[in-house]
Amino acid sequence: MFSERVQSRVAQREATRLRVLSSAERLFREQGFGSSTIRQIATDAGVSTGTVMSVGDKDALLVAIFDTWIAAVHHGREAEQGRGGVTPLSPGAAAEAVLDLVEPFISYFALDLELSREYAAVIVRGTHESEIFQTLAGALIAELEALLSRTSLTATGAAGGARTLYFAYLGILMTVGYGALDQRGAVAQFREVIHFVVDREGTQR
């Protein structure tokens, strides 16, 4: 009984957190990050300002919005793990598969450049931690390494290539966030990096 009550409270807190993030994202996108206030978010979510602040200040809310969406993409892929995971990939097929992994994130950042720019600014300031450098980094690197391991790259080459692609991905996301690169340009730039990695197969045996 006690365990059920604890689980119920945990579930309620998570539901409240998600409701706050949903309201914050809607307001940020509709009226702008700078124009949105904690009080407005609280009213929209039907909670107190204290409850909103327990989730985080505006910067923390913005980081959580991006991190939650990115995490959802990774979790959605978990069900796909193991499907076709051993089929060898040519360099061209590997490049397209890698691009398919990363393109949703580029598209998300390009969806609202103003909000993405605010997110990038928060990250650069270093005042709020983002899972994009922690758990989410591990998830993406693992996905990239699994794909590269299906090419002719050695295990060491696949691991190094995955890290190279991950850091290129971060740089491109931040560049998109600052509006210096549009979605099409970002995809083209990342494609070049992918080919730099996978086309080295012949030298990694």
Side-chain angles (χ1 to χ4, degrees), residues 19-87:
R19 190 163 71 251
V20 167
L21 292 181
S22 177
S23 292
E25 179 171 17
R26 188 176 65 77
L27 290 172
F28 290 165
R29 293 193 186 280
E30 288 182 357
Q31 60 187 38
F33 181 78
S35 298
S36 301
T37 66
I38 292 295
R39 185 176 299 279
Q40 289 174 332
I41 294 169
T43 299
D44 190 83
V47 299
S48 67
T49 56
T51 296
V52 174
M53 289 302 296
S54 71
V55 179
D57 61 17
K58 281 174 56 177
D59 285 356
L61 293 177
L62 183 58
V63 170
I65 287 166
F66 275 73
D67 284 357
T68 299
W69 185 88
I70 294 171
V73 173
H74 288 301
H75 292 325
R77 288 172 176 164
E78 291 177 356
E80 301 297 320
Q81 289 181 355
R83 299 183 184 179
V86 296
T87 305

Side-chain angles (χ1 to χ4, degrees), residues 148-164:
L148 295 180
S149 68
R150 294 163 58 189
T151 69
S152 299
L153 287 170
T154 63
T156 300
R163 290 192 296 273
T164 298

Side-chain angles (χ1 to χ4, degrees), residues 21 26 32 37 78 89 92 107 117 119 133-134 151 158 170 192:
L21 292 181
R26 188 176 65 77
T37 66
E78 291 177 356
L89 293 174
S107 297
R117 185 159 44 248
Y119 171 79
F133 299 114
Q134 300 173 38
T151 69
L170 283 184
E192 288 184 11

